[in-house]
Amino acid sequence: MSGISGQVCLRRGETLAAGCCWIYDNEIDWADDTCEDGGLVEVLDSRMRYQGTGFFNRRSKITVRLVSRERGEIIDRAFWERRIRAAWENRQALGFSNACRVIFGEPDGLPGLTVDKFGDCLSFQIVSLGMERMRDDILAILAEVFRPQCIYERDDLAVREKEGMEQRKGCVYGAVPPELIIREHDALMAVDIENGQKTGHFLDQQENRGHLRPYSAGRTVLDLCCHTGGFSIHAALYGAARVQAVDVSETALAMVRGNAARNGVADRVETVCANVFDLVRQDCEEGRQFGLVICDPPAFAKSRSALDGAYRGYRELNRRCMQLTEPGGFLVTCSCSQFMTQPLFEQMLTEAAKGAGRQVRLLERLMQSRDHPATLGEEHSMYLKGCILQVL
């Protein structure tokens, strides 16, 4: 794909600011009739000055996803290979090798493409129609660059249908090993790339799990929405006296138990299948407290219109978590809702502390791991935020 199918013009006053990669339908004044869904278009400002080249899709609210800011740049297989190799070289320069996100969409100049590396296996997702048209080239390049044991497609995403694509998943290269184990810091973790959430494992919290070391030794730990136990296993390895890992999925908890045994901490990790809101309410009523509470729920706000309700949900959950934290203990709390910005998140925590009647100290701010680089000026790319608090 190197041809341009047409041009789109931004509304008066709209500009493609540095760092901006998405153009929404309400930012566009007009688009040529020749603009092809999934094709490349040039973006012009209201004075007809070139702003960039991107994938076009009139069926999506994100009508253009920027690919290049260099007019006339040839966008072909060699272009995508350069981008993929550059992304992998960047991760290696940052110290990642065994398990990491090697491609994070727009920040890596590969709009709509996500690729995670789990040992010798790759798991990928495509959410833009333009990148879908490049799928065969992308897979061939991934096979050439990484020489993986397998490449697994996790395009079982509802958002693909909004972009005009079907959902699908399956192994598209090689064969999935009977057991896939990665290393995170000092922990060995099993990954289910076939049926696990997202691409199989939440790599965006990888570096944050390593932050638990100073807060875990000798403490009782409550890990809420634990998934497969990333925080739980790290807390136990860092010396926690006892860990209670809570999730609503028994399938996830089975993996927690397997990971605990794999790391020699099964005697200190207990799993509980429960709704976290119900569990924290009951624990508060019964006066239970823990030396370290970890709260990493799924996104409550999947749209801007859902933010008010999500804010109240986060506030109530964190109020309970603060009540469950021993005086002088620690709370690690996160949100992966892109609409819950860091300032809004900390405002919510301030209100939660007031509601809990507890004083809190902010010790660390957290964000997604460095293999998920955020683009300044693109709020949606800074989706994961968190705080480590001391609750007095």
Side-chain angles (χ1 to χ4, degrees):
M1 173 190 289
S2 57
I4 303 297
S5 67
Q7 294 179 323
V8 301
C9 183
L10 301 177
R11 293 185 184 277
R12 187 172 301 279
E14 298 285 355
T15 59
L16 198 55
C20 181
C21 298
W22 288 357
I23 300 172
Y24 292 91
D25 53 359
N26 61 3
E27 297 175 305
I28 295 175
D29 185 21
W30 54 261
D32 288 339
D33 292 341
T34 57
C35 290
E36 179 184 350
D37 287 344
L40 290 170
V41 297
E42 288 188 340
V43 180
L44 310 176
D45 66 14
S46 60
R47 297 172 63 182
M48 304 300 287
R49 295 174 300 190
Y50 174 80
Q51 297 286 293
T53 301
F55 288 136
F56 180 83
N57 189 356
R58 59 175 50 85
R59 286 176 286 189
S60 173
K61 285 188 175 296
I62 307 170
T63 307
V64 180
R65 296 172 184 258
L66 202 68
V67 171
S68 172
R69 291 178 183 267
E70 183 179 335
R71 192 168 203 169
E73 183 169 19
I74 297 174
I75 300 174
D76 55 7
R77 188 187 190 281
F79 173 90
W80 300 117
E81 182 174 347
R82 289 194 300 272
R83 290 278 173 96
I84 290 172
R85 288 188 182 277
W88 176 223
E89 288 168 4
N90 173 265
R91 288 354 182 243
Q92 293 177 91
L94 292 174
F96 294 100
S97 58
N98 178 256
C100 66
R101 176 152 293 180
V102 292
I103 296 172
F104 187 42
E106 281 77 354
D108 287 311
L110 293 148
L113 176 65
T114 296
V115 182
D116 285 344
K117 181 178 184 294
F118 301 116
D120 292 328
C121 295
L122 300 178
S123 180
F124 77 94
Q125 293 178 329
I126 294 174
V127 297
S128 72
L129 184 59
M131 192 60 70
E132 176 79 358
R133 292 176 60 173
M134 298 295 99
R135 180 177 176 275
D136 290 347
D137 281 344
I138 295 299
L139 292 178
I141 295 166
L142 291 175
E144 179 182 329
V145 171
F146 292 94
R147 306 287 183 185
Q149 181 175 352
C150 77
I151 301 177
Y152 202 89
E153 181 172 20
R154 287 300 307 268
D155 280 327
D156 47 340
L157 302 163
V159 69
R160 280 176 57 89
E161 296 179 1
K162 296 179 180 180
E163 295 277 328
M165 300 177 286
E166 64 179 3
Q167 295 190 47
R168 60 171 176 254
K169 73 171 187 175
C171 187
V172 297
Y173 176 90
V176 179
E179 186 175 57
L180 179 54
I181 307 297
I182 64 169
R183 175 173 290 278
E184 280 192 358
H185 308 290
D186 300 313
L188 296 174
M189 303 292 296
V191 175
D192 181 1
I193 61 172
E194 296 181 86
N195 299 302
Q197 293 188 41
K198 302 295 184 179
T199 59
H201 185 75
F202 292 119
L203 287 168
D204 52 2
Q205 290 280 24
Q206 180 174 192
E207 292 188 313
N208 293 334
R209 294 179 190 119
H211 285 238
L212 291 186
R213 185 183 291 275
Y215 310 108
S216 300
R219 295 189 177 274
T220 55
V221 178
L222 176 64
D223 182 10
L224 299 171
C225 303
C226 66
H227 192 228
T228 58
F231 281 112
S232 294
I233 303 305
H234 281 80
L237 288 172
Y238 295 151
R242 179 173 57 85
V243 179
Q244 186 176 98
V246 182
D247 202 277
V248 73
S249 167
E250 180 55 48
T251 300
L253 293 177
M255 292 190 70
V256 175
R257 293 189 290 271
N259 284 327
R262 185 171 290 107
N263 287 277
V265 295
D267 60 328
R268 288 182 285 129
V269 176
E270 168 196 5
T271 60
V272 177
C273 189
N275 176 290
V276 296
F277 279 95
D278 295 337
L279 182 133
V280 296
R281 185 182 304 112
Q282 180 179 339
D283 280 357
C284 284
E285 290 172 355
E286 296 178 0
R288 292 194 178 93
Q289 288 191 317
F290 300 82
L292 170 62
V293 176
I294 301 160
C295 182
D296 183 25
F300 290 172
K302 295 186 181 294
S303 65
R304 197 173 297 278
S305 62
L307 183 57
D308 287 346
Y311 186 95
R312 292 191 295 272
Y314 281 118
R315 184 176 58 198
E316 174 62 14
L317 182 56
N318 279 276
R319 181 179 73 85
R320 295 288 190 180
C321 287
M322 291 174 185
Q323 292 175 329
L324 288 173
T325 306
E326 296 172 355
F330 304 101
L331 169 61
V332 178
T333 181
C334 301
S335 167
C336 60
S337 296
Q338 69 180 68
F339 302 105
M340 178 67 80
T341 63
Q342 186 75 35
L344 195 60
F345 184 65
E346 293 183 17
Q347 174 186 310
M348 176 275 297
L349 291 174
T350 301
E351 294 176 9
K354 182 178 180 180
R358 304 292 293 273
Q359 180 184 353
V360 299
R361 295 171 175 167
L362 175 61
L363 303 182
E364 297 186 50
R365 287 189 174 100
L366 306 175
M367 64 175 288
Q368 65 250 33
S369 180
R370 291 170 301 146
D371 54 340
H372 296 61
T375 301
L376 292 178
E378 288 286 339
E379 186 177 280
H380 64 86
S381 72
M382 295 180 273
Y383 70 96
L384 180 62
K385 74 288 301 176
C387 294
I388 299 181
L389 307 172
Q390 186 171 34
V391 182
L392 304 178

